[in-house]
Amino acid sequence: CVGRLTAQKNYLRLVEALRLLAGRQEWSLEIWGEGEDRPEIEQAIASSGLADRILLRGYSDAVHPEMLRASALILPSLYEGMPNVLTEAMALGLPVIAADIESVREVVGKEQACVWIDPLDPHDMARRISSVLDGEVDLPGLAARGRLIADRYSITDAQAAYHKLYRDLLRAC
């Protein structure tokens, strides 16, 4: 995971979901980021008994090499504006397990480019993560479709879209 340690990123429910998978040894989680909810998340991890497998790594301005070491990105957010970490992971060829929320659906569209989880249901998260661990998900296929999606989001296109948005806002004033 990569993101601010805040309630909207939904790390507490993710910890709860992973507690349900404590008996499985084939997973670990690294969370990259800092934020106001760090003490609460640390407490949840300690209470789960998974402090050796769920690691809070803090902020890094060079997180992309760390992401490349991962097997997948988990994006459990309750809401996002523009889910940049989603497109970054997809551009890196990282399979994604993502919350089924409007902003992520807007980026992914109808493509089968990620494993969808219900961000409000730790049991659903655990089931979907288990499907990945059990080999029921075509991770290379997800990664390939994700790269195609990420290709739609270039810096040049984003700058042009922001420029148009601001120009339109000025005209409306």
Side-chain angles (χ1 to χ4, degrees):
C1 293
V2 178
R4 187 166 169 75
L5 302 184
T6 187
Q8 90 177 55
K9 299 301 184 183
N10 205 25
Y11 294 130
L12 294 177
R13 280 198 189 95
L14 180 57
V15 170
E16 189 178 339
L18 293 174
R19 185 183 52 76
L20 298 170
L21 300 176
R24 300 193 67 153
Q25 298 303 310
E26 65 265 57
W27 67 265
S28 64
L29 175 69
E30 294 184 11
I31 301 174
W32 293 87
E34 285 295 343
E36 63 274 9
D37 285 357
R38 185 181 181 108
E40 189 176 2
I41 296 167
E42 286 174 334
Q43 179 58 44
I45 292 169
S47 296
S48 74
L50 296 169
D52 60 329
R53 295 169 64 193
I54 302 176
L55 307 172
L56 294 179
R57 296 296 194 186
Y59 174 79
S60 172
D61 59 0
V63 75
H64 295 117
E66 302 299 333
M67 291 171 72
L68 286 169
R69 291 186 314 105
S71 300
L73 173 85
I74 300 180
L75 182 66
S77 299
L78 296 170
Y79 62 92
E80 291 280 339
M82 171 53 191
N84 290 322
V85 72
L86 171 75
T87 55
E88 291 169 5
M90 289 178 162
L92 291 170
L94 197 57
V96 176
I97 301 167
D100 192 354
I101 57 176
E102 184 178 347
S103 59
V104 176
R105 284 281 183 180
E106 188 175 329
V107 170
V108 175
K110 296 190 185 304
E111 298 289 330
Q112 292 183 349
C114 62
V115 174
W116 296 107
I117 57 174
D118 179 346
L120 299 175
D121 185 352
H123 292 277
D124 180 70
M125 289 182 188
R127 274 191 305 277
R128 304 302 174 117
I129 293 167
S130 285
S131 72
V132 171
L133 297 174
D134 292 339
E136 297 170 7
V137 176
D138 174 20
L139 294 179
L142 289 183
R145 289 185 293 278
R147 277 194 169 117
L148 293 174
I149 289 168
D151 286 346
R152 299 179 200 151
Y153 294 91
S154 72
I155 296 293
T156 304
D157 291 344
Q159 287 174 327
Y162 276 122
H163 183 66
K164 180 184 180 318
L165 173 69
Y166 295 141
R167 190 176 54 241
D168 291 350
L169 287 172
L170 284 173
R171 286 183 186 148
C173 291

